Amino acid sequence: MSDSKPFTLLIAALGGEGGGVLADWIVECALAQGLPVQATSVPGVAQRTGSTSYYIEMMRTPAPEGAQPVFALNPMPGGVDVVLASELVEAGRMIERGFVHPKRTTLIAATHRVYTTQEKMQMGDGRFDDERIHAGARALAARYLSVDMAGLAAAHGTVISAVMFGALAGAGVLPWPREACERVIREGGLGVQASLAGFGAAFDAVADGSAREALAGAGAGLAAKTSPEVWAPLLATLPAPMRENAAHGVVRVLDYQDSAYARLYVERLQRIAAAAGNSSTQPLVARALAEAARLLALWMTYEDVIRVADLKSRRSRVARIRDEARVREGEILEIVEYLKPGVDEVAATLPRALGARLRDWATRNGKLESLNRGMHLPSTRIHGYLMLRLLARLRPMRRRSLRFHEEQQSIERWLAALERMLAASPAFAAALAELPRVLKGYGDTQRRGRASFERIFDTLVERALGSTSGPAAGAAQELHAAIAAALAEPEGRELERSLEKAGIEPRAPAAKPIVWMKKPRGAASTVVTSR
């Protein structure tokens, strides 16, 4: 969402629930952050004889000096970012009136019911079907969060407005941190401890619930490994912009290695989140956090011989190929893998010291690429399948491999730079978070990506880190341009042009060996090629 568009919030409540106090808390938080804000309300009366609604518009960042934003007095259908409902049928009423949009609106609703007069007047059981409202909310909201607000309020001896405030903050949609919300509750001076307790319980319930939801969506087929009881509390400690990508990341890392490696992934994300601090809701910082969570998972699950063998020998892959090839029942499907393992791939899988020696020997003697041999391996036959599964079973050895050691070193270097830049320059941090995009594949593709990554890091990133005043004004744009250039052309020529525009001295062209080939019989001249 653009910073220039206001953040819009509609609160649907019942008379006597403290909705006015909740609206005041939100306005006070916005003013404390220097955000222009406007609140309007339509008050009701007693429970269920009149509903109340509060509409709030605010800017996401402080307004430029001298600027005065113009806000709307009433919500527009399809134009509301967040709808917060204190009772389930109130949520249904907001959906019916069109305020909940499937591509925009986060709907946070209570699970409890306060029965309407129409329901009570029926001779039999006239209650509305709650599940129909839940189903409509799941289908028509961009994001739906359901919370037992009445139960939490009763358990902590507070009014429901404090619980609603906690649920709103826990959803990660407000442009300020949790501490700002708790500060205004304390400054209220009435029922502070009970209100804080209800606020905290709702915050934790929503944060934990959204993490569980993300895990459920990401972990299809890995339910035994992605136990919500284990991982949801860890993901709930992360800022909201990270959680969905982090859930997918946990599933991917678990599938790639083990639980210890997945915990390392989450710990690294917690480091980045701590560096962002209270600015995690700012758009540039939020984008950097979300992208870092996504790309860190991809980087930690880099492709090696072990991973490729594992993926190529899975039943799910064979089933997918059968479906794509439209193989009928009783027909035989044969899959032949074309592999071209080289010295570099073998060295990368070996223990660190041994792999380094092998690669150094191959580099010195020009054997790094010349020993590559293509091979055809029928993975649907016994010997081919067993060979792939044997390679896949080397997973426990991966931690001692040369490639693993080198990747972890590079990851730590990138993380340290990202931690510094999140505080110094959110714009540069957002660009730096995207730098691992240049790392792809294995073999030649991986080597070229690694060279581009190191070239960009050693020039643009190190220059920004070495500046006492922080990155220059156009540093973020230069880093974005360098990443795009590295992805556009594999040989690095576009990257060097981009770096030259950024004031980086061009490096000398890489030496390429000349290969003299024996003249064929009857040929008129000698053929010379370079590679």
Side-chain angles (χ1 to χ4, degrees), residues 92-107:
R93 186 167 65 88
M94 294 297 102
I95 295 172
E96 181 185 29
R97 295 181 63 186
F99 294 126
V100 177
H101 192 280
K103 293 186 178 180
R104 178 173 184 173
T105 307
T106 295
L107 173 60

Side-chain angles (χ1 to χ4, degrees), residues 268-284:
R268 284 170 164 168
L269 294 185
Q270 289 171 334
R271 281 172 49 192
I272 301 172
N278 294 339
S279 63
S280 62
T281 55
Q282 295 179 7
L284 280 174

Side-chain angles (χ1 to χ4, degrees), residues 13 53 75 79 90 107 168 202 211 217 260-261 321 388 415:
S53 62
E90 287 301 303
L107 173 60
L168 182 65
Y261 200 43
I321 293 175
L388 290 176
L415 287 174

